[in-house]
Structure formats: structure tokens, C-alpha cells
Amino acid sequence: MGAPVQLIVISDYLCPWCYVAAVRLRRLQEEFEDQVALEWRSFLLRPYPDPSRTLEQFRTYTRSWERPAAEPDAPTFRVWDSDAGPPSHSMPPHLVAKAAAALGPDAFERMHARLLAAYFGENRDVTDADTLVQLWAEVGLPAADFARAGDQALVEAVVREHNEAVSLGVTGVPAVRMVDNDVPMLGALPYESYRRWVERALAHADQRDRTIR
């Protein structure tokens, strides 16, 4: 039997607020343990490479990361001072995350967390192939399995998840919805908002289970 509350998280690895939400949702899962399950789905904020984008433009953009970094429970952000980049598009890190997921939930969790921390906290370009290979090794995944990230089936899965999110009215991320509920909650909500949402859902599930049929 699955967790009473199952959350679908629509997210992109190039989105700073998705990093904030990821930290809060991980805390939520740790607090509620097996009562809450998370399923991460892809959204492509940058579906295609933009060859006109310069490194200087990207560095200027990353100053906007100071806003999510100012949140009291924010993870580490670092305005870009590296010569790496600019990131090309959203697809590469999603494919690597899905390749990790094919090895099991623990492999996905490690890769997922590493991608976010490397990009936002360490100024590493998570759209660069060599960087992705390094991150794969850093989380201890088998080198031979990195090739899974090139599978066309994973590309199709990412596109399908993105299009499904758009069909539900999602135009930005993060967005979180409960299984069997097509209405997503948009934005990186405060931790207590997520917590109250889950508590209400658990109370409703408990009441339903107590109902005499």
C-alpha cells in the first residue's frame, strides 16, 4: 500500500525557486516519513538552446538568485562567478536524473540533490556533458549506466511530462499537486503551508478510513 499522501512535484533544474521547494519538500518527507511520497516530474523552462545568450548575460541574471537565497530556510546559492556556461537548456539535467531513476529511488534522490547543489551552490554548468559525467561519478553511480541518459525514451518521457503539466495549466515552476487532484499549488510555498496541506489531507484520509460502510 502506498503513502496516504502522494505529491507530484513539477520542477526544472535551472529554476532557483525549485531548489528552495526541493529543500522544503525533502524536510516534509522526513517529518511525515512513510505518510508522504514525492514523485518528481520534468518541466522545461528552457526547452531549446539559445546560442545568442552570453556568459555575461547569464552572470547578470544569477544576481536574481539573491532573492530565493534570502529565504530563512534557503539552501546555499552563489551568484555565478565561474567561467563555465552559460547553461544551454533544461533537457540535459532532466535526462541524467531520469537515467539515475532507472537505477532506483535512492540513485535518483542522490542525483537530484547533487544537480541542484552543483548548479546553484557551486557554479557548475549542469547542462555540460563532462560536468554531468563528473556529478554522476560523485554520487557513486555506475559509470556504464550514464549512457542511459542518451535514450530516446527518456527524451520522450521528459517532453510528455512537460506537456502534461502545461495541459493542467502549469506555466511556471515549482508546482505541486496531490495524486487524484489536477489542481497544482504554484510557487515555492513556505514550509508551514506545505505542512498544513499535508496534515489536512491526512486528516481527511483518516476520516474516510473510519467511515462505516
Side-chain angles (χ1 to χ4, degrees):
M1 183 177 179
V5 176
Q6 299 179 46
L7 302 179
I8 295 172
V9 189
I10 303 164
S11 179
D12 184 52
Y13 289 103
L14 302 186
C15 167
W17 288 104
C18 290
Y19 190 19
V20 174
V23 169
R24 291 172 180 166
L25 291 168
R26 172 55 54 210
R27 178 183 169 193
L28 189 77
Q29 195 171 38
E30 289 173 352
E31 177 177 350
F32 288 94
E33 298 181 331
D34 58 359
Q35 292 182 298
V36 173
L38 302 179
E39 178 185 344
W40 293 86
R41 294 191 184 175
S42 302
F43 193 88
L44 302 171
L45 287 175
R46 286 186 166 271
Y48 308 106
D50 179 3
S52 69
R53 193 185 196 200
T54 68
L55 179 56
E56 193 54 42
Q57 288 172 331
F58 175 64
R59 284 185 177 136
T60 299
Y61 151 73
T62 65
R63 292 175 192 154
S64 68
W65 294 357
E66 292 175 346
R67 186 179 171 200
E71 293 283 303
D73 58 348
T76 299
F77 284 86
R78 192 173 88 190
V79 172
W80 208 268
D81 61 6
S82 168
D83 290 330
S88 59
H89 60 310
S90 297
M91 183 66 79
H94 282 296
L95 294 177
V96 169
K98 289 201 176 301
L103 301 176
D106 178 66
F108 170 78
E109 291 294 340
R110 284 183 282 151
M111 194 72 244
H112 175 73
R114 193 72 196 96
L115 286 165
L116 291 167
Y119 181 56
F120 292 108
E122 301 168 16
N123 287 181
R124 297 171 73 179
D125 180 2
V126 296
T127 71
D128 175 72
D130 289 341
T131 300
L132 289 170
V133 170
Q134 292 166 9
L135 295 175
W136 185 271
E138 287 172 18
V139 297
L141 300 182
D145 287 308
F146 182 82
R148 292 172 183 260
D151 288 354
Q152 181 61 27
L154 295 189
V155 175
E156 292 170 359
V158 170
V159 171
R160 183 170 59 251
E161 290 177 5
H162 173 88
N163 289 340
E164 180 184 80
V166 171
S167 73
L168 294 173
V170 175
T171 56
V173 284
V176 185
R177 68 181 181 88
M178 288 188 182
V179 170
D180 299 326
N181 184 343
D182 288 342
V183 180
M185 296 182 72
L186 304 178
L189 302 183
Y191 178 73
E192 286 305 317
S193 296
Y194 287 127
R195 192 176 188 279
R196 287 193 297 269
W197 190 35
V198 167
E199 285 180 331
R200 286 195 298 268
L202 288 171
H204 178 73
D206 183 63
Q207 183 180 33
R208 183 183 62 234
D209 291 342
R210 291 171 183 270
T211 300
I212 298 175
R213 299 179 183 179

Coordinates of all heavy atoms in Angstrom, one line a residue, residues 28-111:
L28 N 9.7 18.0 4.5 CA 8.3 17.5 4.7 C 8.3 16.0 4.7 O 7.7 15.3 5.6 CB 7.4 18.0 3.6 CG 5.9 17.8 3.7 CD1 5.3 18.8 4.7 CD2 5.2 18.0 2.3
Q29 N 9.0 15.4 3.8 CA 9.0 13.9 3.7 C 9.7 13.3 4.9 O 9.3 12.3 5.4 CB 9.7 13.5 2.4 CG 9.5 12.0 2.0 CD 10.0 11.7 0.7 OE1 11.1 12.2 0.2 NE2 9.3 10.9 -0.1
E30 N 10.8 14.0 5.4 CA 11.5 13.5 6.6 C 10.6 13.6 7.8 O 10.6 12.7 8.6 CB 12.7 14.3 6.8 CG 13.8 14.0 5.7 CD 15.0 15.0 5.9 OE1 14.9 15.9 6.7 OE2 16.0 14.7 5.2
E31 N 9.8 14.6 7.9 CA 8.9 14.8 9.1 C 7.8 13.8 9.0 O 7.5 13.2 10.1 CB 8.3 16.2 9.1 CG 7.3 16.4 10.3 CD 6.8 17.8 10.4 OE1 7.3 18.7 9.7 OE2 5.8 18.0 11.2
F32 N 7.1 13.5 7.9 CA 6.0 12.7 7.8 C 6.3 11.2 7.4 O 5.5 10.4 7.4 CB 5.0 13.2 6.8 CG 4.3 14.5 7.4 CD1 4.7 15.7 7.1 CD2 3.1 14.3 8.2 CE1 4.1 16.9 7.5 CE2 2.5 15.5 8.6 CZ 3.0 16.7 8.3
E33 N 7.6 11.0 7.1 CA 8.1 9.7 6.8 C 7.3 8.9 5.8 O 7.0 9.5 4.7 CB 8.3 8.9 8.1 CG 9.3 9.5 9.0 CD 9.5 8.7 10.3 OE1 8.5 8.0 10.8 OE2 10.6 8.8 10.9
D34 N 6.8 7.7 6.1 CA 6.1 7.0 5.1 C 4.6 7.4 4.8 O 3.9 6.8 4.0 CB 6.1 5.5 5.4 CG 5.4 5.2 6.8 OD1 5.0 6.1 7.5 OD2 5.4 4.0 7.2
Q35 N 4.2 8.5 5.4 CA 2.9 9.0 5.1 C 2.9 9.9 3.9 O 1.8 10.3 3.4 CB 2.4 9.9 6.3 CG 2.1 9.0 7.6 CD 1.6 9.9 8.7 OE1 2.3 10.8 9.2 NE2 0.4 9.6 9.1
V36 N 4.1 10.4 3.4 CA 4.2 11.2 2.3 C 5.2 10.7 1.3 O 6.3 10.3 1.7 CB 4.6 12.7 2.7 CG1 4.9 13.5 1.5 CG2 3.5 13.3 3.6
A37 N 4.8 10.6 0.0 CA 5.6 10.2 -1.1 C 5.7 11.3 -2.1 O 4.7 12.0 -2.4 CB 5.1 8.9 -1.7
L38 N 6.9 11.5 -2.6 CA 7.1 12.5 -3.7 C 7.4 11.9 -5.0 O 8.2 10.9 -5.1 CB 8.3 13.5 -3.3 CG 8.2 14.2 -2.0 CD1 9.5 15.0 -1.8 CD2 7.0 15.1 -1.9
E39 N 6.9 12.4 -6.0 CA 7.2 12.0 -7.4 C 7.6 13.2 -8.2 O 6.8 14.2 -8.3 CB 6.0 11.3 -8.1 CG 6.3 10.9 -9.5 CD 5.1 10.3 -10.3 OE1 4.1 9.9 -9.6 OE2 5.2 10.2 -11.5
W40 N 8.8 13.3 -8.7 CA 9.3 14.4 -9.4 C 9.1 14.3 -10.9 O 9.4 13.3 -11.5 CB 10.8 14.6 -9.1 CG 11.1 15.0 -7.7 CD1 11.2 14.1 -6.6 CD2 11.1 16.3 -7.1 NE1 11.4 14.8 -5.5 CE2 11.4 16.1 -5.7 CE3 11.1 17.6 -7.7 CZ2 11.5 17.2 -4.9 CZ3 11.2 18.6 -6.8 CH2 11.4 18.5 -5.4
R41 N 8.5 15.3 -11.5 CA 8.3 15.3 -12.9 C 8.9 16.6 -13.6 O 9.1 17.6 -12.9 CB 6.8 15.3 -13.2 CG 6.1 14.0 -12.8 CD 4.7 13.8 -13.3 NE 4.1 12.6 -12.7 CZ 2.9 12.3 -13.0 NH1 2.1 13.1 -13.7 NH2 2.4 11.2 -12.4
S42 N 9.2 16.4 -14.8 CA 10.0 17.4 -15.6 C 9.2 18.6 -16.1 O 8.0 18.4 -16.6 CB 10.7 16.8 -16.7 OG 11.6 15.7 -16.3
F43 N 9.8 19.7 -16.1 CA 9.2 20.9 -16.8 C 10.4 21.6 -17.4 O 11.5 21.7 -16.8 CB 8.5 21.8 -15.8 CG 7.7 22.9 -16.5 CD1 6.4 22.7 -16.8 CD2 8.3 24.2 -16.8 CE1 5.6 23.7 -17.4 CE2 7.5 25.1 -17.4 CZ 6.2 24.9 -17.7
L44 N 10.2 22.1 -18.6 CA 11.4 22.7 -19.4 C 11.2 24.2 -19.5 O 10.5 24.7 -20.4 CB 11.4 22.0 -20.8 CG 11.6 20.5 -20.8 CD1 11.4 20.0 -22.3 CD2 12.9 20.1 -20.3
L45 N 11.8 24.9 -18.6 CA 11.8 26.3 -18.7 C 12.6 26.8 -19.9 O 12.2 27.8 -20.5 CB 12.4 26.9 -17.4 CG 11.5 26.9 -16.1 CD1 12.3 27.4 -14.9 CD2 10.2 27.6 -16.3
R46 N 13.6 26.1 -20.2 CA 14.4 26.4 -21.4 C 14.4 25.2 -22.3 O 15.3 24.4 -22.2 CB 15.8 26.8 -21.1 CG 15.9 28.2 -20.5 CD 17.4 28.7 -20.3 NE 17.4 30.1 -20.0 CZ 17.6 31.0 -20.9 NH1 17.7 30.7 -22.2 NH2 17.6 32.3 -20.6
P47 N 13.4 25.0 -23.1 CA 13.3 23.7 -23.9 C 14.4 23.6 -24.9 O 14.8 22.5 -25.3 CB 11.9 23.8 -24.6 CG 11.4 25.1 -24.2 CD 12.2 25.8 -23.3
Y48 N 14.9 24.7 -25.4 CA 15.9 24.6 -26.5 C 17.1 25.5 -26.2 O 17.0 26.5 -25.5 CB 15.3 25.1 -27.9 CG 14.0 24.4 -28.2 CD1 12.8 25.1 -28.1 CD2 14.0 23.1 -28.6 CE1 11.6 24.5 -28.4 CE2 12.8 22.5 -28.9 CZ 11.6 23.2 -28.8 OH 10.4 22.5 -29.1
P49 N 18.3 25.2 -26.7 CA 19.5 26.0 -26.6 C 19.3 27.4 -27.2 O 18.6 27.5 -28.2 CB 20.6 25.2 -27.3 CG 20.1 23.8 -27.3 CD 18.6 23.9 -27.5
D50 N 19.8 28.4 -26.6 CA 19.8 29.8 -27.1 C 21.2 30.2 -27.4 O 21.9 30.7 -26.4 CB 19.1 30.7 -26.1 CG 19.1 32.1 -26.6 OD1 19.5 32.4 -27.7 OD2 18.6 33.0 -25.8
P51 N 21.7 30.0 -28.6 CA 23.1 30.4 -28.9 C 23.5 31.8 -28.7 O 24.7 32.2 -28.6 CB 23.3 29.9 -30.3 CG 21.9 29.9 -30.9 CD 21.0 29.5 -29.7
S52 N 22.5 32.7 -28.7 CA 22.7 34.1 -28.5 C 23.0 34.5 -27.1 O 23.4 35.7 -26.8 CB 21.6 34.9 -29.1 OG 20.4 34.8 -28.3
R53 N 22.7 33.7 -26.2 CA 22.9 34.0 -24.7 C 24.3 34.0 -24.4 O 25.0 33.0 -24.6 CB 22.1 33.0 -23.9 CG 21.9 33.4 -22.4 CD 21.2 32.3 -21.7 NE 20.7 32.8 -20.4 CZ 20.4 31.9 -19.4 NH1 20.6 30.6 -19.6 NH2 19.9 32.4 -18.3
T54 N 24.8 35.1 -23.8 CA 26.2 35.2 -23.4 C 26.5 34.8 -22.0 O 25.5 34.9 -21.1 CB 26.8 36.6 -23.7 OG1 26.2 37.5 -22.8 CG2 26.5 37.0 -25.1
L55 N 27.7 34.5 -21.6 CA 28.0 34.3 -20.2 C 27.8 35.5 -19.4 O 27.3 35.4 -18.2 CB 29.5 33.8 -20.1 CG 30.0 33.5 -18.7 CD1 29.2 32.4 -18.1 CD2 31.5 33.0 -18.8
E56 N 28.1 36.7 -19.9 CA 27.9 37.9 -19.1 C 26.4 38.1 -18.8 O 26.0 38.5 -17.7 CB 28.5 39.1 -19.8 CG 28.6 40.3 -19.0 CD 29.4 40.1 -17.7 OE1 30.4 39.4 -17.7 OE2 28.9 40.5 -16.6
Q57 N 25.6 37.8 -19.8 CA 24.1 38.0 -19.6 C 23.7 37.0 -18.5 O 22.9 37.3 -17.6 CB 23.4 37.7 -20.9 CG 23.5 38.8 -21.9 CD 22.9 38.4 -23.3 OE1 22.9 37.2 -23.6 NE2 22.4 39.3 -24.0
F58 N 24.2 35.8 -18.5 CA 23.8 34.8 -17.6 C 24.3 35.2 -16.2 O 23.6 35.1 -15.2 CB 24.4 33.4 -17.9 CG 24.2 32.4 -16.9 CD1 22.9 31.9 -16.6 CD2 25.3 31.8 -16.2 CE1 22.7 30.9 -15.7 CE2 25.0 30.8 -15.3 CZ 23.8 30.4 -15.0
R59 N 25.5 35.7 -16.1 CA 26.0 36.2 -14.8 C 25.1 37.2 -14.2 O 24.8 37.2 -13.0 CB 27.5 36.7 -14.9 CG 28.5 35.6 -15.1 CD 29.9 36.3 -15.1 NE 30.9 35.3 -15.2 CZ 32.0 35.3 -16.0 NH1 32.1 36.4 -16.8 NH2 32.9 34.4 -16.0
T60 N 24.7 38.1 -15.0 CA 23.8 39.2 -14.6 C 22.5 38.6 -14.1 O 22.0 39.0 -13.0 CB 23.5 40.2 -15.7 OG1 24.8 40.8 -16.1 CG2 22.6 41.3 -15.3
Y61 N 22.0 37.7 -14.8 CA 20.7 37.0 -14.4 C 20.8 36.4 -13.0 O 19.9 36.4 -12.2 CB 20.3 36.0 -15.5 CG 19.5 34.8 -14.9 CD1 18.2 35.0 -14.5 CD2 20.1 33.6 -14.7 CE1 17.5 34.0 -13.9 CE2 19.4 32.5 -14.1 CZ 18.1 32.7 -13.7 OH 17.4 31.7 -13.1
T62 N 22.0 35.7 -12.8 CA 22.1 35.0 -11.5 C 22.1 35.9 -10.3 O 21.9 35.4 -9.1 CB 23.3 34.1 -11.5 OG1 24.5 34.9 -11.5 CG2 23.3 33.1 -12.6
R63 N 22.2 37.2 -10.5 CA 22.0 38.1 -9.3 C 20.6 38.0 -8.7 O 20.4 38.2 -7.6 CB 22.3 39.5 -9.7 CG 23.8 39.7 -10.0 CD 24.0 41.1 -10.5 NE 25.4 41.2 -11.1 CZ 25.7 42.1 -12.1 NH1 24.8 43.0 -12.5 NH2 27.0 42.1 -12.5
S64 N 19.7 37.5 -9.6 CA 18.3 37.4 -9.1 C 18.2 36.2 -8.1 O 17.2 36.1 -7.4 CB 17.3 37.1 -10.3 OG 17.6 35.9 -10.9
W65 N 19.2 35.3 -8.1 CA 19.2 34.3 -7.1 C 19.3 34.8 -5.7 O 19.0 34.0 -4.7 CB 20.3 33.3 -7.4 CG 20.2 32.5 -8.7 CD1 19.2 32.6 -9.6 CD2 21.2 31.6 -9.2 NE1 19.5 31.8 -10.7 CE2 20.7 31.2 -10.5 CE3 22.5 31.2 -8.8 CZ2 21.4 30.3 -11.3 CZ3 23.2 30.3 -9.6 CH2 22.6 29.9 -10.8
E66 N 19.7 36.0 -5.5 CA 19.8 36.5 -4.2 C 18.5 36.6 -3.4 O 18.4 36.5 -2.2 CB 20.5 37.9 -4.2 CG 21.9 37.9 -4.7 CD 22.5 39.3 -4.8 OE1 21.7 40.3 -4.9 OE2 23.7 39.4 -5.0
R67 N 17.4 36.7 -4.2 CA 16.1 36.7 -3.6 C 15.7 35.4 -3.0 O 15.4 35.3 -1.8 CB 15.0 37.2 -4.6 CG 13.7 37.3 -4.0 CD 12.6 37.8 -5.0 NE 11.3 37.8 -4.4 CZ 10.2 37.8 -5.2 NH1 10.3 37.8 -6.5 NH2 9.0 37.7 -4.6
P68 N 15.7 34.2 -3.7 CA 15.5 33.0 -3.0 C 16.5 32.7 -1.9 O 16.2 32.0 -0.9 CB 15.5 31.9 -4.1 CG 16.2 32.6 -5.3 CD 15.9 34.1 -5.1
A69 N 17.7 33.1 -2.2 CA 18.8 32.9 -1.2 C 18.5 33.5 0.2 O 19.0 33.1 1.2 CB 20.1 33.3 -1.7
A70 N 17.7 34.6 0.1 CA 17.4 35.3 1.4 C 16.3 34.7 2.2 O 16.0 35.1 3.3 CB 16.9 36.8 1.0
E71 N 15.6 33.6 1.6 CA 14.6 32.9 2.4 C 15.3 32.3 3.7 O 16.4 31.8 3.6 CB 14.0 31.8 1.6 CG 13.1 32.3 0.4 CD 11.8 32.8 0.8 OE1 11.0 32.1 1.5 OE2 11.5 34.0 0.6
P72 N 14.6 32.3 4.8 CA 15.2 31.9 6.0 C 15.6 30.4 6.0 O 16.6 30.0 6.8 CB 14.1 32.1 7.1 CG 12.8 32.2 6.3 CD 13.2 32.8 5.0
D73 N 15.0 29.6 5.2 CA 15.4 28.2 5.2 C 16.0 27.8 3.8 O 16.0 26.6 3.4 CB 14.2 27.3 5.4 CG 13.0 27.5 4.5 OD1 13.1 28.5 3.7 OD2 12.0 26.7 4.4
A74 N 16.5 28.8 3.1 CA 17.1 28.5 1.8 C 18.3 27.7 1.8 O 19.1 27.8 2.7 CB 17.3 29.8 1.1
P75 N 18.6 26.9 0.8 CA 19.9 26.2 0.6 C 20.9 27.3 0.2 O 20.6 28.4 0.0 CB 19.6 25.2 -0.4 CG 18.5 25.8 -1.2 CD 17.6 26.6 -0.3
T76 N 22.1 26.8 -0.1 CA 23.2 27.7 -0.5 C 23.1 28.1 -2.0 O 23.0 27.2 -2.8 CB 24.6 27.1 -0.2 OG1 24.7 26.8 1.2 CG2 25.7 28.0 -0.7
F77 N 23.1 29.4 -2.2 CA 23.1 29.9 -3.6 C 24.4 30.7 -3.7 O 24.9 31.3 -2.8 CB 22.0 30.8 -3.9 CG 20.7 30.1 -4.1 CD1 19.8 29.8 -3.0 CD2 20.2 29.9 -5.4 CE1 18.6 29.2 -3.3 CE2 19.0 29.2 -5.6 CZ 18.2 28.9 -4.6
R78 N 25.0 30.7 -4.9 CA 26.2 31.5 -5.2 C 26.0 32.2 -6.6 O 25.8 31.5 -7.6 CB 27.4 30.7 -5.2 CG 28.7 31.5 -5.2 CD 29.9 30.7 -5.0 NE 30.4 30.2 -6.3 CZ 31.4 29.2 -6.4 NH1 31.9 28.7 -5.3 NH2 31.8 28.8 -7.6
V79 N 25.9 33.5 -6.6 CA 25.9 34.3 -7.8 C 27.1 33.8 -8.7 O 28.2 33.7 -8.2 CB 25.9 35.8 -7.6 CG1 26.0 36.5 -8.9 CG2 24.6 36.2 -6.8
W80 N 26.8 33.6 -10.0 CA 27.8 33.0 -10.9 C 29.0 33.8 -11.0 O 29.0 34.9 -11.5 CB 27.1 32.8 -12.2 CG 27.7 31.6 -13.0 CD1 28.7 31.7 -13.9 CD2 27.2 30.3 -13.0 NE1 28.9 30.4 -14.4 CE2 28.0 29.5 -13.9 CE3 26.2 29.6 -12.3 CZ2 27.9 28.1 -14.1 CZ3 26.1 28.2 -12.5 CH2 26.9 27.5 -13.4
D81 N 30.2 33.2 -10.6 CA 31.5 33.9 -10.9 C 32.4 32.9 -11.6 O 33.6 33.2 -11.7 CB 32.1 34.4 -9.6 CG 32.3 33.2 -8.6 OD1 32.1 32.0 -8.9 OD2 32.7 33.5 -7.4
S82 N 31.9 31.9 -12.1 CA 32.7 30.9 -12.9 C 32.8 31.2 -14.3 O 31.9 32.0 -14.9 CB 32.0 29.5 -12.7 OG 32.5 28.5 -13.6
D83 N 33.8 30.7 -15.0 CA 33.9 30.8 -16.5 C 33.1 29.7 -17.2 O 33.1 29.7 -18.4 CB 35.3 30.8 -16.9 CG 36.1 32.0 -16.5 OD1 35.4 33.1 -16.3 OD2 37.3 31.9 -16.2
A84 N 32.4 28.8 -16.5 CA 31.6 27.8 -17.1 C 30.3 28.4 -17.5 O 29.8 29.3 -17.0 CB 31.4 26.7 -16.1
G85 N 29.7 27.8 -18.6 CA 28.4 28.2 -19.1 C 28.5 29.2 -20.2 O 29.6 29.4 -20.8
P86 N 27.4 29.8 -20.5 CA 26.1 29.7 -19.8 C 25.4 28.4 -20.1 O 25.7 27.8 -21.1 CB 25.3 30.9 -20.4 CG 25.8 31.0 -21.8 CD 27.3 30.7 -21.7
P87 N 24.5 28.0 -19.2 CA 23.8 26.7 -19.4 C 23.0 26.8 -20.7 O 22.5 27.8 -21.1 CB 22.8 26.6 -18.2 CG 23.5 27.4 -17.2 CD 24.2 28.6 -17.9
S88 N 23.0 25.7 -21.4 CA 22.3 25.6 -22.7 C 20.8 25.6 -22.7 O 20.1 26.5 -23.1 CB 22.9 24.4 -23.5 OG 22.6 23.2 -22.9
H89 N 20.3 24.5 -22.1 CA 18.8 24.3 -22.0 C 18.5 23.3 -20.9 O 19.4 22.7 -20.3 CB 18.2 23.9 -23.3 CG 18.8 22.6 -23.9 ND1 20.1 22.3 -24.0 CD2 18.1 21.6 -24.4 CE1 20.2 21.1 -24.6 NE2 19.1 20.6 -24.8
S90 N 17.2 23.1 -20.6 CA 16.8 22.3 -19.5 C 16.9 20.8 -19.6 O 17.0 20.1 -18.6 CB 15.4 22.7 -19.1 OG 15.2 24.0 -18.7
M91 N 16.9 20.4 -20.9 CA 16.8 18.9 -21.1 C 18.0 18.1 -20.5 O 17.7 17.0 -19.9 CB 16.7 18.6 -22.6 CG 16.5 17.2 -23.0 SD 15.0 16.5 -22.4 CE 13.9 17.1 -23.7
P92 N 19.2 18.5 -20.6 CA 20.3 17.6 -20.2 C 20.2 17.1 -18.7 O 20.3 15.9 -18.4 CB 21.6 18.4 -20.4 CG 21.2 19.2 -21.6 CD 19.8 19.6 -21.3
P93 N 20.0 18.0 -17.7 CA 19.9 17.5 -16.4 C 18.7 16.6 -16.1 O 18.8 15.7 -15.3 CB 19.9 18.8 -15.5 CG 19.5 19.9 -16.4 CD 20.0 19.5 -17.8
H94 N 17.6 16.9 -16.8 CA 16.4 16.0 -16.6 C 16.7 14.6 -17.1 O 16.3 13.6 -16.5 CB 15.2 16.6 -17.4 CG 14.6 17.7 -16.7 ND1 13.9 17.6 -15.5 CD2 14.4 19.1 -17.0 CE1 13.4 18.8 -15.1 NE2 13.7 19.7 -16.0
L95 N 17.4 14.5 -18.2 CA 17.7 13.2 -18.7 C 18.7 12.4 -17.8 O 18.5 11.2 -17.6 CB 18.4 13.3 -20.1 CG 17.5 13.9 -21.2 CD1 18.3 14.0 -22.5 CD2 16.3 13.0 -21.4
V96 N 19.6 13.1 -17.2 CA 20.5 12.4 -16.3 C 19.8 12.0 -15.0 O 20.0 10.9 -14.5 CB 21.7 13.4 -15.9 CG1 22.5 12.8 -14.7 CG2 22.6 13.5 -17.1
A97 N 18.9 12.9 -14.5 CA 18.1 12.5 -13.4 C 17.2 11.3 -13.7 O 17.1 10.4 -12.8 CB 17.2 13.6 -12.9
K98 N 16.6 11.2 -14.9 CA 15.8 10.0 -15.2 C 16.7 8.8 -15.4 O 16.2 7.7 -15.1 CB 15.0 10.3 -16.4 CG 13.9 11.3 -16.1 CD 12.7 11.3 -17.2 CE 11.6 12.2 -16.8 NZ 11.0 11.9 -15.5
A99 N 17.9 9.0 -15.9 CA 18.8 7.8 -16.0 C 19.1 7.3 -14.7 O 19.2 6.1 -14.5 CB 20.0 8.2 -16.8
A100 N 19.3 8.2 -13.7 CA 19.5 7.7 -12.3 C 18.3 7.0 -11.7 O 18.4 6.0 -11.0 CB 19.9 8.9 -11.5
A101 N 17.1 7.6 -12.0 CA 15.9 7.0 -11.5 C 15.7 5.5 -12.0 O 15.1 4.7 -11.3 CB 14.7 7.8 -11.9
A102 N 16.3 5.2 -13.2 CA 16.2 3.9 -13.7 C 17.0 2.9 -12.8 O 16.7 1.7 -12.9 CB 16.7 3.8 -15.2
L103 N 17.9 3.4 -12.0 CA 18.7 2.6 -11.1 C 18.0 2.4 -9.8 O 18.6 1.7 -8.9 CB 20.1 3.2 -11.0 CG 20.9 3.3 -12.3 CD1 22.2 4.0 -12.0 CD2 21.1 2.0 -13.0
G104 N 16.9 3.2 -9.5 CA 16.3 3.0 -8.3 C 16.0 4.4 -7.6 O 16.7 5.4 -7.9
P105 N 15.1 4.5 -6.6 CA 14.8 5.7 -6.0 C 16.0 6.4 -5.2 O 16.1 7.6 -5.2 CB 13.7 5.4 -5.0 CG 13.7 3.9 -4.9 CD 14.3 3.4 -6.1
D106 N 16.8 5.6 -4.6 CA 18.0 6.1 -3.9 C 18.9 6.8 -4.9 O 19.4 7.9 -4.6 CB 18.7 5.1 -3.1 CG 19.9 5.6 -2.4 OD1 19.7 6.4 -1.5 OD2 21.0 5.2 -2.7
A107 N 19.2 6.2 -6.0 CA 20.1 6.8 -7.0 C 19.5 8.1 -7.5 O 20.2 9.1 -7.7 CB 20.3 5.8 -8.2
F108 N 18.2 8.1 -7.7 CA 17.5 9.3 -8.2 C 17.7 10.4 -7.1 O 18.0 11.6 -7.5 CB 16.1 9.1 -8.5 CG 15.3 10.5 -8.7 CD1 15.4 11.1 -9.9 CD2 14.6 11.0 -7.7 CE1 14.8 12.4 -10.1 CE2 14.0 12.3 -7.8 CZ 14.1 12.9 -9.1
E109 N 17.4 10.1 -5.9 CA 17.5 11.1 -4.8 C 18.9 11.7 -4.7 O 19.0 13.0 -4.6 CB 17.1 10.5 -3.5 CG 15.6 10.2 -3.4 CD 14.7 11.4 -3.4 OE1 15.2 12.5 -3.2 OE2 13.5 11.2 -3.7
R110 N 19.9 10.9 -4.8 CA 21.3 11.4 -4.8 C 21.6 12.3 -6.0 O 22.2 13.4 -5.8 CB 22.3 10.2 -4.7 CG 22.3 9.6 -3.3 CD 23.4 8.5 -3.3 NE 22.9 7.3 -3.9 CZ 23.7 6.4 -4.6 NH1 25.0 6.6 -4.7 NH2 23.2 5.3 -5.1
M111 N 21.2 11.9 -7.2 CA 21.5 12.6 -8.4 C 20.7 13.9 -8.4 O 21.2 15.0 -8.7 CB 21.1 11.8 -9.6 CG 21.7 12.3 -10.9 SD 23.5 12.1 -11.0 CE 24.0 13.8 -11.0

